[in-house]
């Protein structure tokens, strides 16, 4: 079950277990689009306003993103400021 406007966990699971080599270009583009929308929604809605299942799925997703992309946490705004050399100078 997913919150309104979010990608359902069962859809994520099916997409994850289906090899990319068996997916059409249209399926890959759709997954990329819906994954991006889901990640945006994941960041906008506070965890305390999500269902328990959605909160858990989002926490796992954030953890995976940090592991894959080497993120140390922080907001997008903070990361942008750091990248531009405008971050905290302490």
């Amino acid at each position: 079950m997913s919150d309104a406007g979010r990608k359902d966990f069962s859809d994520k699971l099916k997409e994850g277990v289906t090899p990319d080599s068996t997916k059409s270009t249209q399926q890959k583009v759709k997954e990329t689009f819906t994954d991006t929308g889901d990640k945006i929604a994941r960041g906008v809605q506070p965890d305390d306003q999500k269902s328990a299942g959605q909160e858990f799925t989002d926490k796992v997703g954030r953890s995976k993103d940090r592991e894959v992309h080497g993120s140390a946490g922080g907001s997008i705004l903070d990361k942008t400021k750091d990248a531009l050399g405008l971050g905290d100078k302490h």
Side-chain angles (χ1 to χ4, degrees):
M1 187 71 183
S2 68
D3 293 350
R6 298 295 306 276
K7 191 180 240 188
D8 190 76
F9 177 74
S10 62
D11 291 338
K12 290 180 187 182
L13 184 61
K14 284 183 230 172
E15 291 172 359
V17 298
T18 305
D20 283 344
S21 61
T22 65
K23 297 176 185 176
S24 69
T25 301
Q26 182 179 6
Q27 285 175 307
K28 291 176 188 177
V29 169
K30 178 185 174 205
E31 286 179 15
T32 300
F33 180 75
T34 57
D35 286 347
T36 300
D38 199 57
K39 284 183 180 184
I40 291 169
R42 175 178 84 191
V44 172
Q45 184 182 19
D47 284 346
D48 63 354
Q49 295 178 6
K50 299 174 185 175
S51 66
Q54 196 69 59
E55 180 180 0
F56 174 77
T57 302
D58 287 354
K59 285 181 180 180
V60 170
R62 283 191 299 268
S63 176
K64 181 182 176 199
D65 287 349
R66 279 192 297 273
E67 184 178 311
V68 170
H69 301 292
S71 172
S75 72
I76 292 173
L77 180 60
D78 291 337
K79 291 176 186 176
T80 303
K81 288 162 103 179
D82 290 343
L84 296 172
L86 303 171
D88 192 6
K89 305 283 187 200
H90 295 188

